Every structure is written in structure tokens, then in C-alpha cells.
Amino acid sequence: MFSSMTISQLRTLLRAREVSAEEVVISVFDQIDKVEGDIEAYVTLCRSEALVQAKRADALLKEGNAPDLCGIPIAIKDNISTAGLKTTCASRILDDYVPPFDATVVTKLKEAGVVIVGKTNLDEFALGSSTENSQFHVTRNPWDRSRVPGGSSGGSAAAVAAGEAIAALGSDTGGSIRQPAAFCGIVGLKPTYGLVSRYGLIPAAPSLDHVGPLTRDVRDAALVLQAIAGWDGKDPTSVQKELPNYEAVLSEDITGLVVGLPKELLDNELDPEAKEAIFGVANVLESLGARVEAISLPHAEYAMASFYLIASAEISSSLACFDGVRLGKRYGEAKDTTSMFMKTRGQLGIEAKRRILVGTAILQEDNYTTYFVKAQKVRTKIREDFQQAFGRCDVILSPTTPTPAFTLGHKLDRPVIMYKSDVYTSLANLAGIPALSVPCGYTEGGLPLGMQIMGKPFDEATVLKVGHLYEQQTASERRLPQKEVKANG
Amino acid sequence: MELSLKEMEELALIARLYLTEEEKKILPQQISSILDMVHSLETVDTEDVEPTIYPITGSGVLREDEILPSLAVKDALANGPDIVDGYFRVPRIIEEEYES
């Protein structure tokens, strides 16, 4: 089945004209028809437009000079702007918002020839770790329908895992690409801050937000990254850099490479199976010629607090524009603007309200220095920890999440417990460094586990290479999520 | 930091956020527990440490100031909930003081 293949496999078949882009897209929509009723990964599907795009891709493939991702069906998280296609952020406030422009990453993917399958579900405004905060519907984990797919890019992760897209774009503010990738047994990459344009990503916390790929394997993550990376004059935080060929470096070896294992991230809160899996990864990497060294990130324990404060402050500011004036819906009758703002914003879900209230509280004059600036200073300490660590090692290995996917509803009313599922991932957002989640085994119950490989700023090449070599070495143990997905199962 | 219902209602007004009765019941306790979690930061010595605003340096590259096509007014207004004569309409802000 084409819908369960990787980008690189399909690229070969498409180039050789052994399959048409149209057949690939039809195969993906057949799979959607089979499983979407159970999984509910999407907010919007673009069936007829996808077929038109596929025919266009076939014409280019026939000419023989097709761009890199020509004819590949890709899903886009519904907080990334798509011109003429509804972009809802899974919020009632934006449920009929149709952006008049494409995000830069979407423009670049279109130039690379992809076929857009649809827009995927997320926690409202990307605030959450389970996709249960979507105001439309809950998305289920393809490995176990009673569990969450993770979040906030839960729709993107579930779609790729269930064969409802070949790859997807997500956004990651504190782990929102990597945590769902780990929970759904796929690969997720948060690139270095500034490498991939954020123009057109509806912001949550702009100093922490990133756009990146969710894919079936590491090679595919390299291919999508190649297509979306690069300087963009429309994003003031975009950085000008010479880009390597990310796919070409995958085949290099890792002899002598130093892998840091931070003791603070292998603590007692970690699930024993997840811990064992990480030591297993360390052994595999050693067998490939790498050297594993214990390192320390002394301020890691403060990451969650620093992250939460900075994120909440920025979120309370970002979401201020959804006030019922310029875009989105206006709710309720109002005689004055204050009541109009309150009624419209009152439609936000409880997670958004919680973060706006915390953000508003810490941006008050009395709290600004004690809470907000303090959190930004601790962020500096965390960045310095990484600078020191990367003086000794090339990459840092940790679990992606402290536990495998949890059950639906389990943590929804306990926000502090829910936030803890981002404890390992938010470090890379605070430091702005690249971080990749790769499947690294399964629990006894058959749920996927993920490892996280963090690298030096703009050194995606090394991070991807380590992930790819591990994946190659353990290929025989890898299970395909689709095998677990049965219609009406 | 304990948050009382009154303090939370003040915050909600500043944030222009309507809260349901149910939310008013559960949010003060939840927000207090979040503020407890972040207390640990007090123990970090940040004397003479500069705050991080953006994590990566090297951004903020200036581009040439070129004139390029921009969004048509019609498209820019297309998503507004209440548009009249090319403007966003909102409820009256200033009361009329005299009749003409």
C-alpha cells in the first residue's frame, strides 16, 4: 500500500513512473476513508483539490524535471496559514477563518511539489499536550484508541502514524512536534530557532515557537527540512545560513562522535521502560563507534517553570489579537467594546484561559521582575548549560517523554501533571537548539517509546545522522503503526 | 502565591476574558498550583545574568526596502466579522454629548 510508504520510497517509484501521484493520493484517501472515523486526525480534508494537485505533479514527473517532493501527500497542522483554505487553530474563534496568504513553509512545500491532503487537529492555538483541548473533537492514538496521540500536533502525528498522510508539518513550542511523534511511534524534528520561517504560523509564544516535520523515518525528516529551511525576509527572527544537503550527510559514519547522557534527564520520575530504552540506545550508538559520556545540565530542573512563565506571558500577548474585530468570529451582542472583547474571548477553551490569566498575572508591574524577567534569566542559565555541555559532546541523548502515551481524559483536569509531559522537550525550545525524536522501542503493552537527540545550534546534520544510523541499525525491530490500525478495530 | 476569586476576576477583566461560573470555581486553585510550581526559580542565582529574549543570535538581518505588491484591501478585510464601507465596525466607544 502506497499510503504506508516513506517519502524516499515513493520518490523512487514516482520518478520511475511505476506509480502516479494520482494513485498515491487515492491510496492515502482510501486509508483516510477506512480509519479517519476512528482516529479523527483532521479538521479539514482537501480531497478534490488534492487530486488536482496530484495531476499537476504527474505532468511535472512526466517531463522529468520534477521538484524534490513532487506528488508527496502531506498534511499541515491547522495553525499554519494556507491561502484559501480554512485555518482554525481548532478554536471556535477562528472556525471560519480563511487566510488570504500562505505561510512561508507552505509556499516552499508547494514549490517542492507536495500535494496537500488537509489540515490536522491540534490543541486550541497549540496550547496543550494531548490534542484534547481542540474545540472540535478529540484525536485518538492509532496504536491504542483509548490513548491520546500527544499534542499539540496530535492530528499531524496520528495522520502520519495511521497512513492518512505520508508526512506532516507541525509546530513545537515546548515539545508539540516531538512528544506526539514519540507517542505515535514516528519521527519528529524541531529545528534550530531561526532556521525555518515562522511567517504565517499563528503564534502562541513567538520566542519558543518552531515549525518542523513529522515523518515515518529520519531520512524523510531530512527531506522535508531541506524543503522548508532557509532565510525569510518576512520573519525577523529568521537567520541567514548556508544549508547543507541534509540527506547526503546521513550516510556518514559516527566514529568518535561523543554522545552526552545528562544525569538530570534520567531521574526517578522517568518510566523504567523508557529509561531502559535510552540505555539500549546508548549501547547501539557505542557499537556504531560513538563514545557515550555522562554530562550535567544543572539548571534542567528549572526548565519547566521558566518555560511555563515565558510561554504564558507571550501567549497572553499573542492571543490578544483574537478580539472579534479584525478576523475570526465575534460572539454575543455587545453595547460596548469591553463587553464585545470579553464575550468573544470568553469562547476560548479553559487551557487558553489558564495561560492568558497566568501571563496577565506575571506581566503586572508588581510581578514583572520577580516572575517574567527571572524566568528569562533562568533561560540564559539553561542556554549556558548547553553551551558548556556541547564543549564536551556533539549531541545529547534523552527520552522524549517521561512516559508513553497516556489515556484520554487522564490528565485533563490536572494541568501541572499535564505540563510535566513536556519536561524533557521544553529545554530545546528554551535554548533554541535542534532536537529530534526517533522511535526507540516499545513498552511491554506495545506502545511506542521515543528518544530525543539534541544538537548544537544549526547542527541538524549531526542530529539527523545519529538518528538515521540508529534507525538503520535497529530496522528489524521497528514496528509499523499501520499494522495496529484496523478499520473499526 | 495564592490567588483569590476576586484577584482572578480582576485579572480576567484586565485580560478582557469572560469566565463561566464553572471556570471561576476551578481556575483559582489551578492557577495557584501553577504559581507554586514556578516558585522554585527563586532559588536560582541570577545575579548579573542577562535575560534571554530570543534564544539564537544572528537573526534580525535587514533586507532591502523594496516596494512589493501587498494584500488588496478587500482581501485584508475579508475575515472581519463586521465590515462597513471598508472599515471594521465595533460598538460605539464615545458617548454623544450633545444633539446637533
Side-chain angles (χ1 to χ4, degrees), chain A residues 277-430:
Chain A
I278 293 307
F279 288 120
V281 173
N283 287 339
V284 171
L285 295 179
E286 274 184 332
S287 76
L288 290 166
R291 208 168 76 231
V292 177
E293 271 190 26
I295 58 156
S296 173
L297 298 169
H299 296 88
E301 64 174 295
Y302 305 106
M304 210 170 58
S306 166
F307 169 79
Y308 193 81
L309 288 178
I310 294 169
S312 299
E314 293 187 14
I315 286 160
S316 73
S317 165
S318 298
L319 295 192
C321 68
F322 301 105
D323 54 6
V325 177
R326 284 151 300 176
L327 77 167
K329 276 213 177 119
R330 184 183 297 178
Y331 283 89
E333 285 294 309
K335 286 208 180 71
D336 56 68
T337 47
T338 301
S339 124
M340 177 190 78
F341 295 147
M342 292 191 75
K343 284 179 179 168
T344 296
R345 289 159 59 74
Q347 293 294 317
L348 290 166
I350 193 159
E351 183 62 31
K353 287 182 177 177
R354 226 165 7 223
R355 305 233 192 163
I356 289 171
L357 289 171
V358 171
T360 306
I362 63 161
L363 290 174
Q364 304 265 313
E365 203 178 353
D366 292 347
N367 296 335
Y368 187 80
T369 312
T370 359
Y371 284 97
F372 183 56
V373 179
K374 182 77 184 183
Q376 290 182 316
K377 288 183 174 178
V378 173
R379 186 177 188 180
T380 304
K381 301 293 277 183
I382 289 166
R383 284 174 58 213
E384 288 169 357
D385 282 356
F386 277 106
Q387 279 158 12
Q388 288 225 319
F390 284 126
R392 291 184 53 198
C393 62
D394 301 292
V395 293
I396 295 174
L397 175 68
S398 83
T400 306
T401 58
T403 65
F406 43 88
T407 47
L408 288 159
H410 180 59
K411 298 184 177 182
L412 205 49
D413 300 328
R414 291 176 290 171
V416 173
I417 306 285
M418 180 74 94
Y419 302 150
K420 283 193 175 174
S421 63
D422 293 337
V423 60
Y424 304 125
T425 44
S426 59
L427 278 164
N429 299 73
L430 288 165

Side-chain angles (χ1 to χ4, degrees), chain A residues 133-174:
Chain A
N133 293 318
S134 166
Q135 288 195 315
F136 303 149
H137 55 78
V138 163
T139 296
R140 290 178 186 78
N141 191 313
W143 295 80
D144 178 346
R145 254 43 82 77
S146 68
R147 290 176 190 271
V148 302
S152 63
S153 311
S156 288
V160 174
E164 297 185 85
I166 305 303
L169 284 188
S171 69
D172 189 315
T173 303

Side-chain angles (χ1 to χ4, degrees), chain A residues 132-273:
Chain A
E132 291 167 293
N133 293 318
S134 166
Q135 288 195 315
F136 303 149
H137 55 78
V138 163
T139 296
R140 290 178 186 78
N141 191 313
W143 295 80
D144 178 346
R145 254 43 82 77
S146 68
R147 290 176 190 271
V148 302
S152 63
S153 311
S156 288
V160 174
E164 297 185 85
I166 305 303
L169 284 188
S171 69
D172 189 315
T173 303
S176 280
I177 288 173
R178 292 159 285 155
Q179 184 254 28
F183 280 10
C184 291
I186 60 167
V187 170
L189 172 68
K190 181 203 84 65
T192 307
Y193 189 82
L195 181 65
V196 174
S197 168
R198 289 183 298 110
Y199 176 75
L201 168 72
I202 295 176
S207 85
L208 298 158
D209 291 346
H210 301 68
V211 180
L214 294 102
T215 55
R216 297 229 165 89
D217 68 8
V218 176
R219 182 181 296 275
D220 282 5
L223 291 171
V224 178
L225 178 66
Q226 197 82 53
I228 60 174
W231 183 70
D232 178 17
K234 291 173 178 168
D235 174 0
T237 58
S238 178
V239 176
Q240 267 174 337
K241 281 272 170 193
E242 197 73 33
L243 299 183
N245 182 327
Y246 294 111
E247 191 185 12
V249 294
L250 294 179
S251 51
E252 292 172 7
D253 79 75
I254 56 167
T255 308
L257 187 114
V258 181
V259 177
L261 210 51
K263 61 175 196 288
E264 292 84 358
L265 306 190
L266 294 163
D267 58 14
N268 295 331
E269 289 196 32
L270 184 59
D271 183 280
E273 285 182 301

